[in-house]
Amino acid sequence: MNRRQCMAFAGLAALSGVVPVDAVTVPCYEAALAAYPDFSGTVVAGKGAELLFGRALGRSDPQAGTPMALDTRFETGSVSKWIAAIVVMTLVDQGKLALDAPIVRYLPDYRADTGARLTLRHLMSHSSGVPNDVMAARKADPKAMPARLDQMDAVRRYASGDLAFAPGTDWDYAHSNWIIVQAIVERVGGRRYRDAVAASLTEPLGLRDSGIFDGESSVVPGMAVAYAGAAPPWVRKVSAMPDYLAMAGGFYSSAPDMLRLMDGVLGGDRILSAASRATLMRVQRPAQRYALGGRTQVETIGGREREAAWEDGSNGGFRLVARRVLADGVSVIVFNNSSYDHRRLGELASALMEAVYA
């Protein structure tokens, strides 16, 4: 059943009122997946916290022959930045942080000239002008980057360069921003970032397959193994993520956990106040549709324009696409561990979203 046939069948079923919901929707989801026979990973579709559809396809470690499971864990890549922004907003709700205060209020040992001009809003929207020195160092010599580094030492080494532009006037996707944000969160919160994630997010939401990894994610039980492709010869594709870069790319999760996380954050006041949810998703840089740590986009979904959280991440061979329509909570999560083309992952997510609305 192709998508057009699926939509036609769904329409007839809706008119008849006698066909069970699963008989309509499951073929639609399966039709979407059938167009991507080389996909390896997990997918879920849901509304609110309700899981409507889930599949695990391929192998979590193809070289070892380990089958994929729906609760297999994956690195989330840059979706970690959205997670970090959520943690920051919990501290805003507690009155411990202000997005538009100069960061020297929280890091008095940061360089005074630029620290007086920079704010958390600038850093979290990639409009700070802080140069991406950490990625420049990684590209120059990955082996020279220390596996362990005090957070403020990392700030001084990789996130204290002269500003490339005046804060708020331009956009540059710089991981170095998040080294500073992490230092602020750890100092103001009085605990390591991984503990802040647990206390403010994963534990309240009961997320058993999510957290922060340090270094290589292979040390996490139940983690998929990332490869450079979905066929032999098997070549591992790994990119270590030291603790001082945890906000930039150190969060891991499973597809069902990500569904619960998105609903827990965006579906009510359990984690964030209504004001903080609105701030989290409000676009700061219109040209990039970038909000705080992630994107908010208006797209044609289910036959009409809908505003949605638009989260994409990658690290090594891991890929993640997550979408949630803000008005009604319809969500799709797609995880992959074989360096799948990100454009095609987005197309798969869109097809699954259409299946929900069918």
Side-chain angles (χ1 to χ4, degrees), residues 4-355:
R4 180 175 296 175
Q5 292 169 326
C6 169
M7 297 292 282
F9 179 55
L12 289 172
L15 289 173
S16 70
V18 298
V19 180
V21 171
D22 286 350
V24 177
T25 56
V26 170
C28 294
Y29 297 124
E30 299 291 3
L33 285 170
Y36 303 86
D38 54 342
F39 171 78
S40 173
T42 58
V43 303
V44 301
K47 184 168 184 178
E50 180 186 4
L51 179 65
L52 300 176
F53 176 82
R55 283 290 184 272
L57 302 166
R59 305 285 179 178
S60 65
D61 185 348
Q63 193 169 19
T66 309
M68 192 74 70
L70 199 58
D71 62 355
T72 295
R73 299 169 175 182
F74 296 78
E75 295 184 27
T76 67
S78 285
V79 175
S80 302
K81 299 175 178 68
W82 191 63
I83 302 302
I86 294 166
V87 174
V88 169
M89 296 312 298
T90 66
L91 293 172
V92 171
D93 276 340
Q94 295 167 26
K96 295 180 178 179
L97 289 176
L99 294 185
D100 297 312
I103 65 168
V104 288
R105 174 186 296 182
Y106 310 114
L107 295 180
D109 42 348
Y110 192 79
R111 57 181 288 183
D113 57 340
T114 56
R117 302 168 62 197
L118 293 170
T119 68
L120 279 165
R121 193 186 301 274
H122 293 141
L123 297 168
M124 294 162 61
S125 62
H126 292 276
S127 62
S128 68
V130 173
N132 202 15
D133 289 342
V134 68
M135 294 310 293
R138 173 174 279 196
K139 290 177 181 178
D141 186 1
K143 295 180 180 179
M145 294 190 69
R148 293 284 182 275
L149 198 61
D150 176 81
Q151 196 67 30
M152 278 308 299
D153 286 341
V155 168
R156 284 185 281 270
R157 183 181 297 204
Y158 299 125
S160 296
D162 294 338
L163 299 182
F165 51 83
T169 65
D170 206 343
W171 192 81
D172 179 37
Y173 194 76
H175 287 39
S176 292
N177 286 312
W178 298 94
I179 297 177
I180 303 173
V181 178
Q182 186 169 329
I184 291 171
V185 166
E186 291 185 340
R187 182 166 296 184
V188 170
R191 55 189 170 193
R192 295 181 66 192
Y193 175 61
R194 66 175 59 250
D195 298 326
V197 170
S200 63
L201 196 58
T202 60
E203 290 175 1
L205 294 177
L207 306 181
R208 296 175 294 177
D209 297 314
S210 304
I212 299 295
F213 69 92
D214 181 3
E216 287 196 21
S217 63
S218 57
V219 301
V220 177
M223 180 68 67
V225 181
Y227 287 88
W234 303 113
V235 178
R236 290 279 307 276
K237 190 173 182 181
V238 178
S239 181
M241 193 62 56
D243 186 61
Y244 53 87
L245 279 172
M247 278 192 172
F251 187 73
Y252 68 86
S253 191
S254 67
D257 261 16
M258 278 299 301
L259 180 68
R260 288 189 288 270
L261 188 153
M262 295 186 84
D263 185 67
V265 172
L266 298 176
D269 298 341
R270 188 172 179 185
I271 301 299
L272 297 177
S273 67
S276 285
R277 290 198 309 275
T279 299
L280 175 73
M281 302 310 300
R282 186 176 299 121
V283 170
Q284 305 291 320
R285 305 299 304 174
Q288 294 79 24
R289 292 173 284 191
Y290 205 83
L292 297 179
R295 288 179 167 84
T296 300
Q297 297 186 198
V298 176
E299 300 286 337
T300 301
I301 302 171
R304 48 181 277 223
E305 296 291 288
R306 303 178 197 264
E307 186 178 46
W310 209 265
E311 310 299 335
D312 299 85
S314 65
N315 189 47
F318 289 103
R319 302 287 186 270
L320 165 61
V321 173
R323 308 281 186 261
R324 179 183 169 99
V325 175
L326 298 182
D328 60 16
V330 168
S331 302
V332 166
I333 314 293
V334 181
F335 274 113
N336 166 258
N337 65 328
S338 64
S339 306
Y340 209 70
D341 179 75
H342 227 120
R343 177 185 56 81
R344 296 190 69 208
L345 278 188
E347 292 171 351
L348 172 56
S350 294
L352 292 169
M353 189 74 83
E354 293 297 324

